[in-house]
Amino acid sequence: MQYFDTLSNQIVEFVPREPGKVSIYACGPTVYDVPHLGHARTQLTYDVIARFFRWQGLEVTLVSNITDIDDKIIARAAAENTTEEAIATTYTEAYIEQMHRLGIADPDHRPRATEYVDQMLDVITQLIDTDHAYVIDGSGVYFDVASFEDDYGALVHRSAEDLREGAGQRVEVDERKRDPLDFALWKAAKPGEPTWESPWGPGRPGWHIECVAMALDILGDGFDLHGGGTDLMFPHHENERAESEACGHRFARGWIHSAMLNIGGEKMSKSLNNFRTLGDVLDTWDPRALRLAMLQTHYRRVMELGDEAMQGATAALDRFDAFARRVSVIDLPEATTLPDEIAAFTAAMENDFGTPAAVATIFELVRAGHTALDADDLASAAAIGATIDELTAVLGLVPPAADTGDDAAEIDDLVAQRQAARDSKDFAESDRIRDLLSERGIEIEDSAAGPIWRRV
Ligand SMILES: [Zn+2]
């Protein structure tokens, strides 16, 4: 298994810390608003990575946090005249609901920042004790970047000096900090904000310390993989790494970053006014079509998502579901999976989680499956079907169990009658049946693989 490691900046062999086990930490959302497509892409990346490792027989522990205390949550609570807790609860629920709609499995642990303050205080204490952090009275506790000078910037492959120049140009640098790169581990209480007690006075934790405390507590030193979107590489992940390694805790041994998402050719950003929520997209399209569209772009490539991509994914899913429907109404012989196709899929995934090639393997199978059914080659269709079932589960693209409606068998029957009428060139009859189905909200598409029906 090879993957691209951001820290070493190259393709590396995946060697787990403990044989047979994989520990993964993927940064989760700050819950001040409904989730957007960027959250979906990032979480889908780690969902599929975890599914693949599990399928390979590894024991996976996936941790993904919820940042439930933050400037944006405080601002929204003030604007809506409610509590930070109420805002965080509302948007945590919205996030989990939308992730479920997209078929993203719950992580094994979903820690909340507010439940981890004690562990964060512990790491901050270790940093102060090892002279990697200092207190500014009335402001908080800061990480001393100069004390970690040689290694700071390693994740983004820039020197601390180079990064310092950029930071120094920003206007809001606190004059009392020793270095413009220094960042808050603990923020002293401001009026009206939620606070926790600490040895340095009441306040609240900085963002980066949260992931360090959670990852080290749940996964332990030197865990296998740390993930997140590329937008988190700097400063968030660089700072997380500095905090942990500076006080003697080996942090993640490997780093995986998923690329950003553009919608309709523009970078997705709230400020560009083309922000679409994940809920909007899932209301409009089959959630599996979004999953498929995302998996058809490699996680390290910037993704362009628009109606065209969604239409393409929807059409591909239709062919796929049509095969599932065709095999659901016939008795297929017992069959085992096809070793060559399983091997091709595995090779694609072992090449830096190459989901586009893995998806292509499945769609080749779907094509072959329709051909086998058309030729009444039930033995081949059965083996292909078994292979498709196995592989689609790894990618979370399992078709719904045939059609769930009570009248599905009746519709199948009408569709078959219409096809028989067409075959005997009785177009008046085939049109009559089509209209009948249309009145019931059933649309038929005559594909090369035979008629495909769906509810509209
Ligand atoms: Zn994080």
Side-chain angles (χ1 to χ4, degrees):
M1 171 74 227
Q2 296 198 313
Y3 73 99
F4 185 86
D5 171 40
T6 312
L7 181 59
S8 57
N9 206 18
Q10 61 186 345
I11 294 279
V12 297
E13 187 69 26
F14 175 69
V15 183
R17 175 180 55 178
E18 277 179 77
K21 294 186 176 179
V22 189
S23 43
I24 309 173
Y25 186 94
C27 292
T30 300
V31 282
Y32 71 99
D33 204 349
V34 293
H36 56 69
L37 285 162
H39 292 123
R41 187 178 196 204
T42 306
Q43 296 307 316
L44 178 61
T45 299
Y46 305 102
D47 180 56
V48 168
I49 288 174
R51 282 171 190 264
F52 177 68
F53 279 134
R54 287 197 174 108
W55 182 62
Q56 294 281 287
L58 292 156
E59 188 187 312
V60 178
T61 307
L62 175 63
V63 180
S64 188
N65 65 311
I66 297 278
T67 300
D68 61 353
I69 185 67
D70 170 89
D71 291 345
K72 296 192 193 84
I73 295 172
I74 292 168
R76 183 139 193 180
E80 296 187 6
N81 201 17
T82 183
T83 62
E84 288 76 12
E85 196 185 343
I87 294 292
T89 301
T90 299
Y91 294 110
T92 299
E93 284 171 4
Y95 172 78
I96 292 172
E97 185 195 341
Q98 301 300 340
M99 291 298 126
H100 286 172
R101 287 180 77 189
L102 190 56
I104 291 179
D106 286 335
D108 302 283
H109 300 267
R110 198 180 333 250
R112 270 92 165 150
T114 54
E115 296 165 353
Y116 265 79
V117 175
D118 286 347
Q119 290 89 336
M120 296 185 224
L121 294 177
D122 188 39
V123 182
I124 298 170
T125 302
Q126 291 179 49
L127 285 166
I128 291 177
D129 289 349
T130 53
D131 287 331
H132 289 291
Y134 57 94
V135 179
I136 298 179
D137 281 336
S139 180
V141 182
Y142 287 82
F143 184 85
D144 182 355
V145 169
S147 75
F148 194 66
E149 184 77 6
D150 293 346
D151 211 8
Y152 193 80
L155 190 62
V156 287
H157 312 292
R158 292 176 66 184
S159 68
E161 194 46 48
D162 196 16
L163 293 165
R164 189 169 285 126
E165 259 172 52
Q169 284 160 7
R170 278 190 248 128
V171 283
E172 78 281 18
V173 171
D174 184 335
E175 294 299 325
R176 293 172 299 170
K177 288 200 298 186
R178 293 178 187 168
D179 185 327
L181 285 178
D182 292 355
F183 53 89
L185 301 167
W186 187 256
K187 298 178 176 183
K190 287 189 194 140
E193 290 186 357
T195 57
W196 286 261
E197 288 304 319
S198 88
W200 320 285
R204 62 188 171 93
W207 175 32
H208 321 303
I209 197 72
E210 152 188 352
C211 293
V212 172
M214 293 168 174
L216 294 178
D217 185 65
I218 301 169
L219 299 173
D221 289 20
F223 59 95
D224 291 312
L225 296 169
H226 191 314
T230 49
D231 56 335
L232 295 185
M233 281 166 63
F234 190 85
H236 184 52
H237 289 166
E238 193 70 54
N239 290 351
E240 285 182 8
R241 192 177 162 273
E243 289 170 350
S244 180
E245 304 257 343
C247 63
H249 294 287
R250 173 108 193 251
F251 204 47
R253 293 159 60 253
W255 293 79
I256 290 179
H257 287 96
S258 64
M260 295 290 99
L261 178 81
N262 296 334
I263 297 179
E266 280 177 84
K267 187 172 183 298
M268 195 191 69
S269 145
K270 240 182 168 170
S271 58
L272 283 176
N273 256 343
N274 61 357
F275 186 83
R276 287 179 73 180
T277 68
L278 177 57
D280 287 345
V281 177
L282 296 180
D283 287 344
T284 312
W285 302 94
D286 180 342
R288 289 186 308 139
L290 179 60
R291 232 182 132 93
L292 176 61
M294 287 185 166
L295 293 176
Q296 284 177 314
T297 302
H298 189 259
Y299 76 89
R300 280 198 292 124
R301 290 182 77 95
V302 173
M303 182 180 178
E304 300 289 339
L305 188 71
D307 286 349
E308 211 175 306
M310 290 304 300
Q311 280 156 3
T314 302
L317 267 187
D318 279 347
R319 286 191 291 280
F320 174 55
D321 290 349
F323 177 72
R325 199 154 49 233
R326 289 180 81 184
V327 298
S328 73
V329 294
I330 51 175
D331 280 328
L332 287 178
E334 286 282 310
T336 52
T337 54
L338 298 164
D340 288 355
E341 277 71 13
I342 298 281
F345 176 93
T346 306
M349 291 298 286
E350 285 185 338
N351 179 15
D352 196 19
F353 307 103
T355 55
V359 164
T361 305
I362 294 175
F363 282 102
E364 279 299 324
L365 282 165
V366 171
R367 208 163 301 139
H370 281 297
T371 306
L373 285 176
D374 290 345
D376 275 331
D377 179 358
L378 297 190
S380 296
I384 290 167
T387 313
I388 290 174
D389 286 349
E390 172 101 14
L391 300 182
T392 50
V394 181
L395 299 182
L397 290 171
V398 178
D403 187 285
T404 48
D406 295 338
D407 56 351
E410 196 188 334
I411 294 164
D412 282 336
D413 204 39
L414 283 168
V415 170
Q417 284 176 32
R418 173 180 166 275
Q419 190 58 34
R422 272 168 64 91
D423 290 346
S424 57
K425 307 229 182 304
D426 184 353
F427 295 114
E429 176 65 3
S430 73
D431 286 351
R432 188 188 69 82
I433 298 173
R434 175 186 280 265
D435 291 345
L436 202 68
L437 287 163
S438 173
E439 278 165 25
R440 298 174 61 159
I442 305 296
E443 185 182 273
I444 302 183
E445 182 201 337
D446 292 302
S447 78
I452 300 167
W453 63 266
R454 63 169 164 257
R455 297 179 200 274
V456 289

